[in-house]
Amino acid sequence: MNAHFSASSTGNIKHFLNISDLDSATLRDIITLAKNMKAMQENRKFPLHPAEPIKGRMVALIFSKPSTRTRVSFEVGVKQLGGSAIVLSTHEMQIGRGETIQDTARVLSRFVDAIVLRTGSNDDLLELAHWSSVPVINGLTPFSHPSQVMADIITFEEHLGPIKGRTIAWVGDGNNVANSLIEAAAQFEFKIRLATPETLMPSEKVLQWAKNKGADILLTCNPKEAVSGADCVVTDTWVSMSDDDPEKRLKILEPYRVNQALMALAAPNAIFMHCLPAHVGEEVTKDVFESARSVVFDEAENRLHAHKAMLIWCMMGDNWRQYGER
Ligand code: CP
Ligand code: NVA
């Protein structure tokens, strides 16, 4: 565990809180497992996972913020692996009336075998993981979105081959997805070029961690500089779920829209990625979003495969790698 970002490790429990927490070989093996499981699904042999690795196990999916992809892909993934999912909104739980995260973690640990949490507070995620005696997976906080970026690695590689040494350009808000992408740049050894306004830069702690790990990072306020020659251009909404200053952001981010003129500066076969939901016309123009270069729906699908591999890593102890065998 990385002491800067994560709850202290509780025994041998494997939490997936941030991409910086795992070693790069393990992350690579999780990606390989996800790709293998995707191939199984494409062969359409049912049941998809006859070994049902998490048969009889329960996973709680807890959301204090809206979600389409994370919620559905985790629920489908748990069921495909033979387990059962319980989807909960914090508004319906006693957390919503002030029960502590500490007590919630200790209670849920008596009922379920893993917890996925989407929350508006990164501290709440760390607190939950600290007190939970079952694995906790980060389903998005304002600080990071690692399950998204695991899917993004798969998506890049299925379109353009190994990501190591390639160049990814991030244009727009230096937000939670950007932070996880920077951590991934260090772990998967790709170059990252970030164009953000000075007031919306990614986390300094994340940048420092990635630089200490030898990551090749360029920070600029100029989208053209970031995108020039890049293999992939990535953006995200200008107003994230936890932001409370939409008008200010929309104004500051206006020069950071990904349009055809910007994409023309990237490599000739460059792809466009976006975690979705998109606000077409704001952070990306319709012609880019709907173009052949846009792989956003592959990205969405790959959430499923990434999440299944993450669940197996978290829940299957030391034998988790065997579930990648076909
Ligand atoms: N990309 C993503 O996390 O989508 P949802 O908010 O729909 O889960
Ligand atoms: N940055 C966005 C991602 C949504 C999936 C948000 O936090 O709202």
Side-chain angles (χ1 to χ4, degrees):
M1 287 291 195
N2 185 303
H4 289 298
F5 306 127
S6 297
S8 54
S9 176
T10 15
N12 291 324
I13 303 161
K14 293 194 280 182
H15 301 304
F16 201 121
L17 304 185
N18 281 300
I19 285 177
S20 55
D21 291 339
L22 283 72
D23 63 71
S24 49
T26 302
L27 289 166
R28 173 49 70 188
D29 286 348
I30 294 172
I31 295 290
T32 302
L33 175 59
K35 288 179 178 176
N36 286 348
M37 286 192 297
K38 180 169 185 174
M40 286 180 207
Q41 179 148 334
E42 284 170 348
N43 292 340
R44 294 279 170 207
K45 284 191 190 137
F46 293 100
L48 292 171
H49 306 291
E52 296 194 305
I54 60 169
K55 187 173 184 175
R57 310 248 219 132
M58 306 293 297
V59 180
L61 312 176
I62 307 176
F63 293 84
S64 72
K65 297 278 178 190
S67 171
T68 298
R69 281 143 290 269
T70 307
R71 184 201 148 143
V72 176
S73 57
F74 266 112
E75 184 168 357
V76 169
V78 166
K79 288 180 176 168
Q80 287 183 356
L81 294 174
S84 299
I86 307 168
V87 184
L88 296 159
S89 155
T90 50
H91 307 296
E92 300 154 357
M93 297 170 70
Q94 294 288 11
I95 282 184
R97 294 181 59 247
E99 186 168 21
T100 62
I101 300 280
Q102 178 176 340
D103 290 354
T104 304
R106 289 186 289 184
V107 169
L108 290 178
S109 298
R110 304 288 179 107
F111 297 138
V112 302
D113 302 290
I115 303 170
V116 177
L117 178 67
R118 168 167 292 192
T119 167
S121 159
N122 195 60
D123 287 346
D124 284 358
L125 176 79
L126 303 185
E127 177 86 351
L128 187 87
H130 180 75
W131 290 102
S132 173
S133 53
V134 299
V136 172
I137 297 177
N138 179 354
L140 182 149
T141 75
F143 175 72
S144 60
H145 197 5
S147 66
Q148 175 66 53
V149 168
M150 291 298 280
D152 295 351
I153 302 297
I154 299 168
T155 311
F156 181 97
E157 295 198 331
E158 66 190 10
H159 284 275
L160 294 178
I163 200 165
K164 183 173 176 176
R166 308 298 287 276
T167 302
I168 313 293
W170 175 273
V171 179
D173 182 16
N175 65 12
N176 45 6
V177 181
N179 285 338
S180 290
L181 199 61
I182 294 165
E183 292 186 359
Q187 297 279 37
F188 291 93
E189 296 177 62
F190 59 85
K191 297 172 192 154
I192 186 149
R193 312 282 177 244
L194 300 121
T196 70
E198 263 179 32
T199 51
L200 296 175
M201 302 248 290
S203 157
E204 189 50 48
K205 267 200 300 190
V206 168
L207 288 167
Q208 207 48 59
W209 175 87
K211 281 179 194 163
N212 289 346
K213 220 168 150 42
D216 184 340
I217 303 173
L218 173 84
L219 281 175
T220 174
C221 294
N222 181 354
K224 290 181 184 164
E225 188 185 1
V227 164
S228 180
D231 298 296
C232 174
V233 179
V234 195
T235 191
D236 187 12
T237 180
W238 287 347
V239 184
S240 284
M241 288 180 276
S242 295
D243 292 332
D244 55 10
D245 50 355
E247 281 163 23
K248 191 171 140 202
R249 288 168 162 276
L250 294 177
K251 204 167 155 203
I252 296 173
L253 284 158
E254 187 63 29
Y256 292 83
R257 179 170 298 118
V258 177
N259 57 25
Q260 290 284 23
L262 196 62
M263 285 301 294
L265 302 175
N269 62 344
I271 54 173
F272 169 76
M273 296 211 291
H274 188 311
C275 65
L276 306 180
H279 299 78
V280 174
E282 287 183 10
E283 70 271 11
V284 58
T285 55
K286 186 171 181 187
D287 52 3
V288 170
F289 187 81
E290 298 293 348
S291 70
R293 292 175 146 201
S294 171
V295 297
V296 298
F297 297 105
D298 292 337
E299 243 183 304
E301 177 189 332
N302 286 333
R303 299 294 299 281
L304 171 65
H305 311 298
H307 296 173
K308 287 199 291 191
M310 290 162 67
L311 285 161
I312 286 177
W313 175 76
C314 283
M315 297 177 73
M316 299 311 296
D318 293 340
N319 295 328
W320 67 276
R321 285 183 180 83
Q322 75 187 53
Y323 295 97
E325 289 170 10
R326 276 181 274 171

